[in-house]
Amino acid sequence: MKFGKLSEDELKNKKLSLPADHADTQHVLAKGYGGVKVHVGCAKWGRKEWVGLIYPKRTKDNDFLDEYVKHFNSIEMNTTFYSVKKANVESWTSRAPKGFMFCPKVSRNVTHIKRLNDDAKRYSDYFLEAISGFEGNLGPSFMQLPENFAGKYFERLKAYIEDVPEDFKLFVEIRHESWFEDQSIFDETFQLLKENNIGAVITDVADR
């Protein structure tokens, strides 16, 4: 992943200290949730370099998913960012055990091409219909906004989020620095997510 990557020389001079806790942190932690269930997975199952390491030797490409679900209980479906068909979704689901979570990445047509504008809705509707094929194996979906989608587009994000179906489990990743540097935008954005029961994706890389 190139986003936030540093060269070795840059890394030597980078201070990797953590920022101070946000005021909401203690408020959230104080609630308690009676235990947390953790799902662990990767961004794809089609890793040829895993053959002989995680997958048995001579595992064929078509069998990668069958082996993947033996080791992990979730996956970030990066492939759905590029294309998603309900027939494929149903096929993948038939090969996964109960409790396994597919977490599809929202189509780039929605986020990167239409950039959450009004005409992104038809692509959103298509995406929702396709991933309904995951049925009980559908986990939260992951909407990654473009690197240059800045805080000035807050109203566009707000309009999109407020149109999301209540039963659609969605997590959002905002990446442009302006969402975090402007305290008012930061607070307003995360309040918006909170009010609409939408989660935030945290990507931990050296330069972000």
Side-chain angles (χ1 to χ4, degrees), residues 1 25 62 78 81 87 145 156 166 182 188 190 192 194:
M1 183 174 68
T25 300
N62 289 339
N78 199 48
F81 178 71
L145 297 178
R156 191 186 303 179
E166 290 185 6
D182 187 318
E188 198 170 2
F190 281 88
L192 171 70
K194 179 181 178 181

Side-chain angles (χ1 to χ4, degrees), residues 104-130:
K105 191 173 180 178
V106 173
S107 169
R108 62 179 175 174
N109 289 323
V110 175
T111 56
H112 288 61
I113 297 176
K114 297 303 180 181
R115 296 173 65 86
L116 306 189
N117 278 312
D118 292 341
D119 55 351
K121 179 172 172 49
R122 64 189 179 96
Y123 293 102
S124 295
D125 291 343
Y126 175 85
F127 177 80
L128 290 171
E129 170 60 23

Side-chain angles (χ1 to χ4, degrees), residues 130-146:
I131 67 170
S132 68
F134 285 121
E135 298 183 343
N137 290 96
L138 176 60
S141 290
F142 163 28
M143 187 171 80
Q144 182 187 71
L145 297 178

Side-chain angles (χ1 to χ4, degrees), residues 4-162:
K5 186 176 181 180
L6 295 173
S7 68
E8 288 190 21
D9 288 337
E10 290 173 322
L11 190 57
K12 290 176 183 177
N13 299 315
K14 185 71 175 180
K15 294 181 179 180
L16 300 178
S17 58
L18 294 173
D21 279 351
H22 189 274
D24 286 347
T25 300
Q26 289 302 320
H27 174 70
V28 171
L29 294 178
K31 290 182 178 180
Y33 291 96
V36 176
K37 185 174 183 180
V38 176
H39 284 76
V40 178
C42 303
K44 59 190 294 187
W45 62 71
R47 307 294 303 219
K48 293 181 182 292
E49 64 269 31
W50 287 358
V51 176
L53 295 174
I54 297 176
Y55 302 158
K57 293 180 179 179
R58 294 183 291 279
T59 300
K60 296 179 180 179
D61 291 10
N62 289 339
D63 298 326
F64 283 175
L65 174 57
D66 303 301
E67 296 301 326
Y68 178 94
V69 299
K70 296 176 183 177
H71 299 278
F72 303 98
N73 63 358
S74 68
I75 186 165
E76 174 199 326
M77 295 291 296
N78 199 48
T79 186
T80 59
F81 178 71
Y82 301 99
S83 176
V84 58
K85 296 180 180 178
K86 192 169 184 178
N88 291 341
V89 167
E90 292 171 342
S91 174
W92 296 329
T93 304
S94 70
R95 298 163 62 186
K98 183 178 180 181
F100 183 91
M101 294 282 98
F102 290 96
C103 303
K105 191 173 180 178
V106 173
S107 169
R108 62 179 175 174
N109 289 323
V110 175
T111 56
H112 288 61
I113 297 176
K114 297 303 180 181
R115 296 173 65 86
L116 306 189
N117 278 312
D118 292 341
D119 55 351
K121 179 172 172 49
R122 64 189 179 96
Y123 293 102
S124 295
D125 291 343
Y126 175 85
F127 177 80
L128 290 171
E129 170 60 23
I131 67 170
S132 68
F134 285 121
E135 298 183 343
N137 290 96
L138 176 60
S141 290
F142 163 28
M143 187 171 80
Q144 182 187 71
L145 297 178
E147 289 183 52
N148 61 0
F149 194 93
K152 63 183 180 181
Y153 299 119
F154 172 80
E155 290 300 328
R156 191 186 303 179
L157 175 63
K158 182 174 185 287
Y160 183 87
I161 283 178
E162 290 180 342

Side-chain angles (χ1 to χ4, degrees), residues 161-172:
I161 283 178
E162 290 180 342
D163 194 46
V164 169
E166 290 185 6
D167 60 347
F168 178 42
K169 295 179 181 178
L170 179 66
F171 280 66
V172 175

